[in-house]
Amino acid sequence: MMKVLCIDDYAELCVFLAAYLRLEGFECGIVPDGIEAMGRFDCEPWDLVVLDVMMPGGGGFEVLRFLRSHGERAQIPVLMPPARGDEMHLISGLAAGAADYLTKTFSPGELAHTLPRRSRRLP
């Protein structure tokens, strides 16, 4: 079973997304901020991370830099669905090592059906 970690301070979105992903056969964890997320990487292996850009307690770019600089965790694919869909966040996220970028208008079904392809470990 694929394990997905959702890191976002928008609790309602995370709960909805996690419930949908579980129905689709994924195991899903929820973390509300970057500091807690960085601790969860040491506790459990994750196949994919859905990471918000702007949140309290360590933003998405800080979490992404942490992941990319820590051994095996550096290979975890990260999808970044920020509320702002501007080009600067897109370029910054991809340059920092995000595997893909989504806008928060994505549907849970779209995400669930593309996760297996997007979860391949980075080269």
Side-chain angles (χ1 to χ4, degrees):
M1 180 179 298
M2 183 182 294
K3 292 181 68 168
V4 179
L5 180 62
C6 297
I7 307 168
D8 197 316
D9 60 325
Y10 184 25
E12 292 84 7
L13 173 67
C14 286
V15 169
F16 175 73
L17 182 60
Y20 187 89
L21 291 175
R22 287 180 185 122
L23 287 173
E24 292 291 320
F26 297 92
E27 186 175 334
C28 195
I30 299 172
V31 180
D33 64 65
I35 292 172
E36 187 176 333
M38 289 185 261
R40 290 283 297 269
F41 294 120
D42 289 331
C43 301
E44 299 177 61
W46 299 98
D47 297 306
L48 186 124
V49 173
V50 179
L51 176 63
D52 188 27
V53 171
M54 299 178 68
M55 60 187 156
F61 292 121
E62 183 179 334
V63 174
L64 185 58
R65 281 189 294 276
F66 172 82
L67 273 174
R68 294 298 175 246
S69 66
H70 285 83
E72 172 119 355
R73 290 180 296 232
Q75 301 304 311
I76 300 171
V78 176
L79 302 178
M80 298 184 83
R84 289 190 209 170
D86 65 31
E87 185 177 7
M88 183 53 95
H89 278 151
L90 168 67
I91 292 167
S92 298
L94 294 173
D100 208 344
Y101 216 87
L102 303 170
T103 61
K104 278 204 175 164
T105 57
F106 70 89
S107 73
E110 172 190 3
L111 181 62
H113 293 291
T114 60
L115 281 179
R117 175 180 57 83
R118 291 177 173 169
S119 69
R120 292 188 196 121
R121 298 285 177 167
L122 298 174

